[in-house]
Every structure is written in C-alpha cells, then in structure tokens.
Amino acid sequence: MIALNQMDIDRLQETATTAATYLDACDDGARFVRLDPAYYKACGHLLLTIFAVTDAARAFPCLLEHSPAAREAAESVEIARRIGISRLGYYPQLTVAMNRITT
C-alpha cells in the first residue's frame, strides 16, 4: 500500500463512492439508472484498484457500511492478498511455476 495524505483519501472517497453507487444501482435492478456494461466493468475495476492501494476498512468505513458493492470489492481484494501470501509461504514451487507461466 502506498502512503496517502488525507486529501488523497478524500478524493479517492468521492471516486469510490460514485463507482460504488453506480454498481449498487445496477445490482439493485437499474430502475433509476441506465445500465452500461462497459461503465459497470470500469466502476468495478476502479473500486478494486482503489481498495488494492489503500486499507479500505480504515480509509472508507462509511462506504463499506452502506454499499454492498464496496464491501464485495474490499473482500475480494483481501481474499486475493491472503491467497498471494499463502501461495508464497506454503507453496513456493507453485509460485515459481506460476511465475514462469505468466512471463
């Protein structure tokens, strides 16, 4: 995670809230919003990226409390971190093989 000041966190909060609001509206049936699959995908990717470089639980507690999409994204990032740590610690040969395959 990178060190961010409070102004950076505030800006990311606005962006993450906008993305999460769109995702939640679409997931809720898109009654009041036009569903755009490309924008939906971009919003999801944006949330994952923001949560990957921050501690979402500490930086955005209100957003995680009110947005199912934000909670799911934060949980996904945390699961990916745990898998990465487990893979490196418990399966070093697998890690080497996977690195060879992906490069």
Side-chain angles (χ1 to χ4, degrees):
M1 286 180 238
I2 56 176
L4 300 170
N5 63 38
Q6 190 56 46
M7 189 182 321
D8 295 331
I9 296 292
D10 291 343
R11 288 181 185 141
L12 288 174
Q13 170 92 25
E14 291 176 32
T15 304
T17 300
T18 301
T21 300
Y22 182 78
L23 293 172
D24 288 333
C26 290
D27 291 346
D28 194 33
R31 286 176 256 158
F32 303 107
V33 67
R34 183 171 173 257
L35 179 59
D36 178 352
Y39 188 66
Y40 184 92
K41 181 179 176 181
C43 287
H45 185 265
L46 181 62
L47 268 183
L48 291 173
T49 302
I50 290 171
F51 292 165
V53 298
T54 62
D55 178 358
R58 205 176 91 210
F60 314 111
C62 291
L63 177 59
L64 296 179
E65 180 181 335
H66 297 291
S67 170
R71 277 193 301 278
E72 290 174 10
E75 289 171 7
S76 295
V77 168
E78 184 58 32
I79 289 168
R81 283 184 185 138
R82 288 182 184 165
I83 289 172
I85 291 168
S86 294
R87 189 183 76 208
L88 285 172
Y90 297 111
Y91 307 104
Q93 294 90 354
L94 176 62
T95 301
V96 170
M98 289 178 73
N99 286 339
R100 270 191 239 138
I101 292 168
T102 58
T103 56

